Amino acid sequence: MTAELVRGQNHPLSRTQVEIRVSAGTPVLALASACDDAGRLVGPESVAHPGARKLPGVEVPGAVAGEHRFAVDLDAVAPSVHRLGVVLVLPPGGPARFGATPASYVAVADPEGAELAAYTVTGLESETAVVALELYRRQDAWKVRAVGQGYADGLGALLADAGLDAPAAVALAAAVVGAAARDEAARAPAPTASRPTGAAPATPPGRPQPQDAAAAGPAPAAPGQPGPVPVSGVPYAATPGTAPGDSGDGPPTLDYVHPRRRRSTTEPPEPAPQAAAPAQPGRPPVPVAGDASGWSMDERLYNQVWGMFEDLARSVAAYRSACDFAESRMDRELDDALSDPRHRLGGSGNTARDEARARHDELVDQAKAVLDRDLAQLIAESEVVEPALPAPYARWANPVWHGHGVPEEAPMALRLGDLHLPERPDLRIPMLVRLPLERGLWIDNGRTGSEAAMAMDTDRLRRAAMDMAVAHAVRLLAVHPGDRFSVHVIDAAGAGAASLAPLVAAEVLAGPPAAGAAGVTQTLAELTRRVDLVQMAVRAGAPEDLPPDVDTADQLLIVHDFPHGFDDRAVTRLRYLADEGPAVGVHLLMVADRDEASAYGPLLDPLWRSLMRLSPVPDNHLADPWVGHAWTFEPDLPPQGSRVLEQTLDRIAAARRNARP
């Protein structure tokens, strides 16, 4: 399964023979930089480019192309090299900036072709060179990190930032561009007859990528330049399949075949759960659950939910951009009207102001119509997808939980709650996180986190936070095979006993909740020992040679009321588990108020940053990786009065009893 990375996220590589795949949507140069442990280039010879394509362990393509593939042998990389960067550069004569091109997709695949990790490089504007990914060493192992660091001043600035002096950086950048130009000239075919004057270039098949479908209103075209042009800098173009009444001169409709939804021709022919109804002329396509790419229905639904998340983010971004553009244009026109002496005489000034406001309203109405059209399609898709979701992705209110049995393998993702934007609060996107968890979770039970928390009674807020933690623990137990997941609890003061009662009564915990300082110390010591032993076994290449008392199942540690019962050594162990535990199957779920741990000062800042913060009440503290919207998160809890949690625990307990010898 592919690990979908966001900027700054890393992922361990299980293979040392890998392939880098680049799909840029526009011709680019693909380079590789070999840096030391400080991220610095030793010299120009540390960069692989079309003029000097080889470095130890890597050989980059020599041509400018929209797609690249090249192999990397990490075992052959020089010992002094600690970071291998994948660099993308726009060539001369192409687009002037990455912000005017589709987002580049960069992946790391194993020799068999399965993608291990991937990153969609978003958030670029005026940049012409970008470090997309880097492969780096850590403790004798290799990892991949999504970087996405762009440079508006081009490759020369990128190389200078990596440690080359300015003259060397400029000279190397010029050499790279020159080598690429010579390669393109050598590949160029013999001249052919040019197309007739005035003939339009062929329109490429397919609709624009979602990031290019900005609903921003058209800006006035400069003399001699094509128009209209939205504020994103990408001209609107008519596309095949345009609905009647949609001339193609305005914003295109939402695209249902963006890269995350394209179905690979090599996939097994697993049928979708329902047939697609034919689209009516002039109407958008009818959504179908599971129409995204993937080898299984669960993977297709996961990719489809992610696609809905991306579509909603980009549609709202386009609408907000159009409104901002309309506002700034109106302000500029009003300023011009006030500064023109001719408009201060008679009624021409009022007329100019009225016309400016009318143009503003027209553009906002146009953008709102496009947004409403896109939201209607997404709502229709959500109504089809939500009932089809499997238990790991489904709300607790979904009937699928009443028939859910113990699975044979762990799922690829888990639902933590819902996300929505203020433009359409009733359109809820499932918040899915990949399994196994790559970072711990922190449920914030403090009252200073959000307005909703401040308006809630302290005791009710703490109870809601612990109920949320228990619901997540039950969901994790339910979606894993019976003997492949264990839950430990630290409740030093016993304040979470009421919420923990269902877990204790069902006897699905690894042991009674740890109480007092002694219980905290013992639980943390056991889990720290497990992390150490598994790490040593993995490094020695003998993960099966663990002591018989080591539980090889994934572990979840719920910590309630931190830092009550923790001394300095216990805090150090907790930080160690948060940093090193996820890689060897030990995961952390904190229920805590950061203010109560303020006595530790900045010592705990790395701990809080390493955890994904969630809230037991609606809170808009999460941002998407594409445009950075502030999304409102709402937890998913069992419906009031429902026994779905107890029934699920009963099935888990029965399955565990039956599995015992």
Side-chain angles (χ1 to χ4, degrees):
M1 295 181 291
T2 307
E4 299 286 350
L5 306 181
V6 297
R7 186 174 182 178
Q9 188 178 3
N10 61 61
H11 184 75
L13 292 178
S14 57
R15 309 289 288 271
T16 57
Q17 309 282 335
V18 297
E19 181 183 62
I20 304 298
R21 299 176 176 178
V22 177
S23 179
T26 189
V28 297
L29 282 168
L31 284 60
S33 60
C35 301
D36 59 18
D37 56 353
R40 314 294 285 178
L41 292 168
V42 175
E45 68 278 3
S46 299
V47 179
H49 57 85
R53 296 172 52 193
K54 292 185 179 181
L55 289 174
V58 60
E59 180 176 357
V60 299
V64 175
E67 295 191 0
H68 296 283
R69 291 193 178 194
F70 56 95
V72 177
D73 183 359
L74 297 173
D75 291 330
V77 173
S80 60
V81 174
H82 288 256
R83 301 185 188 181
L84 276 179
V86 178
V87 178
L88 306 181
V89 181
L90 290 174
R97 57 190 179 90
F98 274 110
T101 69
S104 299
Y105 179 82
V106 187
V108 182
D110 62 22
E112 289 75 31
E115 292 186 354
L116 305 175
Y119 172 47
T120 302
V121 188
T122 58
L124 300 180
E125 292 295 339
S126 59
E127 295 86 345
T128 59
V130 60
V131 182
L133 290 178
E134 70 175 8
L135 311 180
Y136 66 99
R137 299 182 198 259
R138 183 175 181 185
Q139 298 177 345
D140 298 326
W142 284 91
K143 292 187 175 184
V144 57
R145 178 186 289 118
V147 180
Q149 178 63 55
Y151 294 82
D153 292 331
L155 180 58
L158 185 153
L159 296 172
D161 192 43
L164 294 186
D165 58 71
V170 172
L172 181 54
V176 170
V177 173
R182 289 192 298 272
D183 182 84
E184 285 297 298
R187 293 169 176 265
T192 57
S194 59
R195 60 185 174 88
T197 303
T203 303
R207 289 186 178 272
Q209 302 269 339
Q211 61 267 28
D212 296 328
Q225 298 295 324
V229 178
V231 293
S232 66
V234 183
Y236 293 134
T239 56
T242 303
D246 183 1
S247 66
D249 294 329
T253 57
L254 188 65
D255 181 12
Y256 274 92
V257 291
H258 59 71
R260 300 192 59 83
R261 301 187 181 208
R262 290 186 185 128
R263 192 186 302 280
S264 170
T265 57
T266 61
E267 292 173 4
E270 181 177 335
Q274 63 185 79
Q280 298 295 323
R283 296 182 180 274
V286 178
V288 178
D291 72 343
S293 62
W295 286 95
S296 66
M297 183 53 64
D298 285 4
E299 186 175 359
R300 293 177 186 178
L301 288 168
Y302 172 83
N303 287 336
Q304 187 170 13
V305 168
W306 190 267
M308 293 164 59
F309 183 30
E310 181 176 353
D311 284 345
L312 179 56
R314 296 196 187 283
S315 294
V316 171
Y319 170 70
R320 293 179 180 178
S321 176
C323 292
D324 290 343
F325 172 77
E327 192 74 27
S328 63
R329 187 178 67 176
M330 182 181 70
D331 290 343
R332 185 176 65 252
E333 291 176 348
L334 291 176
D335 289 342
D336 292 343
L338 291 174
S339 62
D340 191 340
R342 294 172 299 176
H343 292 163
R344 289 198 289 268
L345 302 175
S348 59
N350 293 333
T351 302
R353 287 191 289 271
D354 292 342
E355 290 176 350
R357 293 190 179 97
R359 282 191 291 270
H360 167 273
D361 295 343
E362 180 183 5
L363 184 53
V364 171
D365 291 343
Q366 177 189 354
K368 186 63 167 61
V370 173
L371 177 67
D372 290 343
R373 180 183 61 196
D374 292 351
L375 292 180
Q377 294 182 30
L378 284 169
I379 289 173
E381 186 171 15
S382 177
E383 291 173 350
V384 170
V385 170
E386 190 70 52
L389 294 177
Y393 307 170
R395 294 191 179 105
W396 282 111
N398 193 314
V400 70
W401 279 104
H402 297 290
H404 178 67
V406 178
E408 296 182 357
E409 60 182 15
M412 66 181 297
L414 189 83
R415 186 173 192 152
L416 296 181
D418 294 333
L419 298 170
H420 62 84
L421 291 172
E423 280 76 6
R424 193 64 188 261
D426 60 325
L427 176 53
R428 307 295 177 90
I429 304 295
M431 180 181 173
L432 305 180
V433 294
R434 294 295 293 263
L435 293 180
L437 295 171
E438 295 183 357
R439 58 189 299 200
L441 304 176
W442 164 34
I443 301 177
D444 188 357
N445 64 1
R447 298 184 67 242
T448 59
S450 67
E451 294 182 3
M454 294 179 66
M456 196 171 184
D457 176 75
T458 301
D459 293 337
R460 287 180 55 209
L461 182 64
R462 291 177 178 271
R463 176 62 187 268
M466 196 57 189
D467 287 347
M468 180 178 169
V470 170
H472 286 330
V474 174
R475 185 183 287 262
L476 282 164
L477 287 167
V479 302
H480 282 82
D483 59 344
R484 299 308 305 155
F485 203 85
S486 297
V487 177
H488 307 258
V489 176
I490 290 178
D491 185 21
S499 298
L500 292 168
L503 289 174
V504 175
E507 299 180 351
V508 295
L509 295 177
V520 172
T521 300
Q522 180 181 353
T523 302
L524 292 176
E526 291 174 354
L527 290 175
T528 302
R529 174 177 176 267
R530 182 194 181 280
V531 171
D532 291 339
L533 291 174
V534 174
Q535 283 184 338
M536 288 188 290
V538 170
R539 290 171 188 166
E544 69 281 355
D545 292 339
L546 289 167
D549 63 330
V550 174
D551 185 2
T552 58
D554 282 2
Q555 312 287 314
L556 176 69
L557 173 61
I558 301 176
V559 178
H560 181 236
D561 240 5
F562 176 81
H564 186 86
F566 281 72
D567 56 18
D568 290 346
R569 187 175 184 184
V571 170
T572 301
R573 283 176 167 169
L574 187 68
R575 288 184 54 187
Y576 176 75
L577 291 177
D579 291 339
E580 303 296 333
V584 291
V586 177
H587 311 286
L588 187 60
L589 198 167
M590 297 269 292
V591 183
D593 180 359
R594 185 171 182 171
D595 290 345
E596 293 185 353
S598 59
Y600 288 93
L603 176 68
L604 289 181
D605 287 350
L607 172 64
W608 302 119
R609 286 196 298 266
S610 70
L611 304 174
M612 178 186 293
R613 177 179 172 266
L614 303 174
S615 172
V617 293
D619 189 18
N620 61 345
H621 64 284
L622 296 174
D624 63 78
W626 302 286
V627 292
H629 290 319
W631 292 75
T632 298
F633 168 82
E634 291 198 17
D636 177 49
L637 297 172
Q640 193 72 25
S642 170
R643 297 195 69 254
V644 62
L645 210 66
E646 290 77 6
Q647 293 170 356
T648 302
L649 284 169
D650 290 343
R651 287 193 291 269
I652 295 170
R656 294 193 169 195
R657 287 193 298 268
N658 295 335
R660 293 171 185 163

